[in-house]
Structures are given as C-alpha cells and as structure tokens.
Amino acid sequence: MNQNVKGFSKLSKEEKINWITNTYFVNPEEAKQSIVKYWNSDESLQKLHDEFIENTLTNFYLPYGVAPNFIINGKSYTIPMAIEESSVVAAASKAAKFWGERGGFKATIINTEKIGQVHFLFNGNTEKLTSFFNKIKPTFFDDTQEITKNMQKRGGGILDIELRDKTNEIPNYYQLHATFNTKDSMGANFINTCLEQFAKTLENQAHEFADFTSDEKNIQIVMSILSNFVPNCTVRVEVSCPIDQLSEDKNIDSAEFAQKFATAVRIAEVEPYRAVTHNKGIMNGIDAVVLATGNDFRAVEAGIHAYASKSGQYASLSHVKIENDIFTFWMEIPLALGTVGGLTSLHPLVKFSMELLGKPSAEELMQIVAAAGLAQNFAALRSLTTTGIQQGHMKMHLMNILNQHKATKEEKQQVLDYFKNTTISHSLVVDYLEKIRS
C-alpha cells in the first residue's frame, strides 16, 4: 500500500481524518469516533486548540490535578500539575504537607540571565576579527533598538555580547555569545529576533570594514539561535528541620532515617545510573507544573539535564547536609520560564493555572516549580529508604489496571479491599479479578 500523500497540510480537517483512518485503520469509522470523542463541544475553543499546531486531528488529554499545602517563602500555594504518571501528585501533596508543618520551602532566585548565540565561520586573522568586533559592538545594540525598546521598558533587554573564539574545536568557528534578561517572558522569540539582527549587522559591517581582506569580509553565518542551557538563570530551593522531627512513623528512628536518606542522595551524586532515575523523579514534579503553566518542558528538561552534567559526570541535582542535628535538603537548578506571551495568554487552562497561583512573576514561578521538584524528590527518597517505592506507587497504579480490564464499581471495591495489605502486581490483580468474576 502506498501511504505517501501529497498536499496533506492543505486538506481540511475532515479530509485529513478520512485519509488517516482509511489508510491506517482496519475499522475507519471506529478510529474516527475515537478522534471525535476528544473534540471540545465549544467550537471556538476547539478552533483555538486546532491552531496551536499544524495538522491537528483532535486533543490529547492529560490529567490536570493540584497539589495543595505548599508553603514557599511563607506564602501558601495550591500547585497545578498536568501529568499521567500515578502517585506523582499524591507524593508531592504529601511532601508539601510534611514540610509545611516544618517551616515550608525556602526559595531564592540566584540569577535570571538567558543566552543566545550567533554561530559563524571566519576565514582570517583572529586579532583583526577581535578589533572589528570591539569597534562595531555598539552597533549591535543600535540595530536592535526597535526590537528591544518594549523589553527595556519592563527592565529587560540585551545584557552583553561577547566574541568567542572556538577555532580550537572547529576550524574558523566563532560565536557571538549574547546574554539577555527577558523579565516575565520566557523570551525565545525575542532572543531569536535579536540574534538574527546581530547576524545581519555582523555581515553588513564586515563588508564595510576596510582592514578585512576580501575573504575576511565574507563571514558565513551558520545559524542564530537561543540556548536552552541557562546555567545563569537559576533558583535554589531548600527545606530543613531538626533531625528528631524527620520521622512521622514511631517505628522509624529519625537519626537512622536521616543518615540513610543522606546516603541515598550521596549515591546519586556519584553513580550516574542512579542519578538519572533520581533526577527523573525531580522532573516528575517540575515537568507537571511547567506543562500546566504553558511553558516548554522539553527546553526545561534539556537545560536541567545539561546542568546535572556540568562537572563532567551526570550527577544528582539535589543534595543533603546534616549539621548540628539539623537536616537540610536542597537543590539549585536552571529554569527559564515565562508568565506572559505564548500559551500563557491563549490556553484557557494555562490562564486558570496562573490565576490559581496568584498570577506569579517569572521569578516567583521559578520558585514554585523548583519547590514542586524538590517535594517530589523528597517523597520518592523517603519511600525508597523506608517502605520501598512500589507500595505507594502500585496502589495508585491499581486503578489504572482495573480500568484497563473494565472492572465494575463493585469489582473495584472488592479488589481495593483485598489488596489493602497485600503486595500488588499487575498479574496478581488480574488473577484476583478473574477469580471474583468466576
């Protein structure tokens, strides 16, 4: 069967759906009904969603939940989370309540600097290029004045531009390395627009620079693009309490728990295989809030994981210290977030999230997101070092198994009662479900 299609993007939505279902599905009508079920009944709202991306067929739902009882810098929050993984919201909520009774989360913005680069090739004398750059540097600011004037009114804009020699890595390769403050905007479009103007200025000025040879005048722009690695756009978040307040279970000694917890973190600091899963748990909390607030979780993921490798080895993002009988758990992470622009002003649930959070600034949102990540990490490590991760996770996963096997309300209750104090696995649940059905 030839599955190629010409002019797909020009087809109507109905035509696209008909082609997809007739080409790929055994039962086209059933497949079409699955698509239509997830359309919004409000036509204008559905049209809004359709226009977020290209070739839209329907909406893909993720559960949208909330984690209450977060105290961050003395302020109370109920945090929105969009995620499909069982137990994440429950774990974050439980950790939030635990630390809320012990002073809450303390968060500090370290810096808010973002980065963009113009990558180019220059076949000539480096000293002449440096002299040329120093001479025309003010022109980069002048030529972007129209682009930056509104951002400057809000206290942001271009912070600095550097020329970087990378010829020891790739022959003739140089960068314009620019730093920006984009205030409450994530700033991707702003930064990229500035960078593309830098590239034009660089080319135009090079052609007019008398000291360049004809080869040197022909600077080759490779690309102009922001970086999602933002090691100077960082937030620190921490929790602390006396060791004797760490355990809520009378059967678990607080001092022993603190040491075991600290050892678990230390393992993630030195063992990359553990660190990846450790940090994935942190990202469960971070991504869920980033997604619920209309930010780019892929950019956040890439930047944070790069930051976790800054020592040359991938390592834990979170850390522990125990001093003078005080337990302190913290992390410092890069977060480039926005609260204006993009989906924040378009997607109804994103606007709902922002109002739920009290319409935070970008800096406040950085603190909220970081706290959610640390809460999730604490909850996971507490389970791992005490009862084991599966006890809580599988109980949350149990309902997914029951729904998968179309259990009735009565069957669900019987299964829940049976597994209240019994080890849970997919096969054991299925076996018990078949037993009560027979």
Side-chain angles (χ1 to χ4, degrees):
M1 182 191 297
N2 182 6
Q3 296 176 342
N4 290 334
V5 59
K6 290 183 179 178
F8 183 77
S9 63
K10 294 181 174 60
L11 299 178
S12 69
K13 184 176 176 180
E14 185 177 1
E15 289 169 335
K16 288 172 185 168
I17 291 170
N18 287 336
W19 183 83
I20 289 286
T21 54
N22 289 325
T23 303
Y24 292 99
F25 292 85
V26 175
N27 188 331
E29 192 55 38
E30 184 180 298
K32 187 173 181 179
Q33 286 306 310
S34 294
I35 289 172
V36 172
K37 278 180 185 177
Y38 285 88
W39 287 357
N40 198 294
S41 58
D42 183 327
E43 289 186 12
S44 62
L45 190 57
Q46 184 56 55
K47 186 173 185 294
L48 177 69
H49 282 72
D50 286 349
E51 293 174 354
F52 284 156
I53 61 169
E54 305 79 16
N55 298 337
T56 305
L57 302 182
T58 191
N59 309 310
F60 186 90
Y61 291 175
L62 285 176
Y64 178 103
V66 296
N69 302 318
F70 270 86
I71 305 297
I72 306 170
N73 294 338
K75 185 176 177 181
S76 179
Y77 295 91
T78 293
I79 297 181
M81 304 180 81
I83 191 168
E84 86 299 339
E85 185 171 333
S86 302
S87 78
V88 168
V89 177
S93 300
K94 189 174 181 180
K97 184 175 184 294
F98 178 88
W99 286 109
E101 294 168 352
R102 291 159 177 80
F105 297 81
K106 296 175 178 61
T108 307
I109 300 298
I110 298 170
N111 208 334
T112 57
E113 182 181 280
K114 295 169 187 174
I115 293 167
Q117 296 167 322
V118 177
H119 305 268
F120 67 95
L121 302 180
F122 171 77
N123 186 15
N125 182 282
T126 299
E127 289 183 6
K128 270 203 278 183
L129 180 64
T130 301
S131 175
F132 162 71
F133 170 76
N134 291 333
K135 181 178 179 181
I136 70 159
K137 184 174 178 178
T139 310
F140 292 118
F141 291 88
D142 293 341
D143 288 357
T144 52
Q145 190 60 41
E146 282 301 307
I147 301 167
T148 62
K149 63 182 182 182
N150 288 334
M151 186 66 75
Q152 287 176 329
K153 287 177 183 175
R154 300 200 299 272
I158 304 162
L159 300 176
D160 195 16
I161 308 167
E162 302 172 24
L163 173 68
R164 294 195 172 180
D165 181 351
K166 310 289 282 186
T167 54
N168 63 324
E169 296 167 39
I170 299 175
N172 304 325
Y173 170 40
Y174 296 84
Q175 298 172 355
L176 293 182
H177 184 93
T179 50
F180 301 83
N181 183 337
T182 60
K183 301 305 288 181
D184 287 335
S185 167
M186 189 274 171
N189 291 332
F190 169 77
I191 291 172
N192 288 335
T193 303
C194 288
L195 294 172
E196 289 180 1
Q197 181 55 57
F198 292 166
K200 291 176 186 175
T201 298
L202 185 67
E203 284 183 308
N204 294 337
Q205 292 294 320
H207 281 294
E208 296 175 10
F209 192 58
D211 290 347
F212 278 166
T213 65
S214 57
D215 279 349
E216 290 171 334
K217 288 178 185 291
N218 291 319
I219 286 176
Q220 182 186 345
I221 304 297
V222 179
M223 55 186 166
S224 307
I225 186 71
L226 90 162
S227 173
N228 290 128
F229 184 40
V230 284
N232 291 323
C233 185
T234 48
V235 56
R236 177 188 166 98
V237 60
E238 70 172 52
V239 287
S240 66
C241 72
I243 287 176
D244 61 11
Q245 294 180 18
L246 260 184
S247 177
E248 294 180 304
D249 187 335
K250 62 183 180 181
N251 298 314
I252 298 174
D253 179 75
S254 289
E256 183 181 333
F257 167 62
Q259 289 298 334
K260 195 174 181 182
F261 189 104
T263 301
V265 173
R266 181 63 183 146
I267 290 169
E269 289 173 337
V270 301
E271 171 50 65
Y273 282 92
R274 171 58 198 144
V276 170
T277 309
H278 177 94
N279 290 345
K280 186 269 181 185
I282 293 172
M283 300 313 298
N284 279 342
I286 288 174
D287 282 351
V289 188
V290 171
L291 194 56
T293 56
N295 277 276
D296 187 345
F297 72 92
R298 299 158 303 274
V300 167
E301 282 266 1
I304 288 179
H305 290 305
Y307 192 79
S309 305
K310 66 183 186 299
S311 68
Q313 175 178 296
Y314 190 89
S316 170
L317 291 161
S318 60
H319 309 279
V320 169
K321 68 178 180 180
I322 300 171
E323 293 179 354
N324 302 320
D325 293 328
I326 299 295
F327 172 91
T328 304
F329 181 47
W330 84 94
M331 71 177 178
E332 183 182 309
I333 56 169
L335 279 174
L337 303 174
T339 56
V340 298
L343 285 185
T344 57
S345 57
L346 282 176
H347 198 298
L349 276 179
V350 171
K351 291 194 280 188
F352 179 93
S353 295
M354 292 302 185
E355 187 162 352
L356 175 65
L357 292 172
K359 299 182 178 178
S361 66
E363 291 188 6
E364 187 179 359
L365 184 59
M366 287 170 69
Q367 296 172 336
I368 292 166
V369 169
L374 193 68
Q376 188 63 32
N377 194 214
F378 177 80
L381 286 172
R382 180 167 60 177
S383 293
L384 278 169
T385 55
T386 53
T387 60
I389 200 73
Q390 287 300 85
Q391 185 184 85
H393 179 77
M394 287 307 293
K395 282 187 177 178
M396 294 299 297
H397 190 54
L398 179 56
M399 196 57 68
N400 289 344
I401 300 171
L402 293 172
N403 286 331
Q404 182 183 339
H405 291 274
K406 297 181 168 54
T408 65
K409 182 178 178 181
E410 291 73 21
E411 288 172 340
K412 286 178 181 178
Q413 191 57 55
Q414 285 186 66
V415 173
L416 288 170
D417 290 342
Y418 178 78
F419 282 98
K420 190 173 290 183
N421 297 303
T422 305
T423 300
I424 298 168
S425 74
H426 190 282
S427 60
L428 288 174
V429 172
V430 173
D431 288 347
Y432 185 71
L433 191 58
E434 288 177 353
K435 180 181 176 181
I436 63 176
R437 284 174 171 174
S438 62

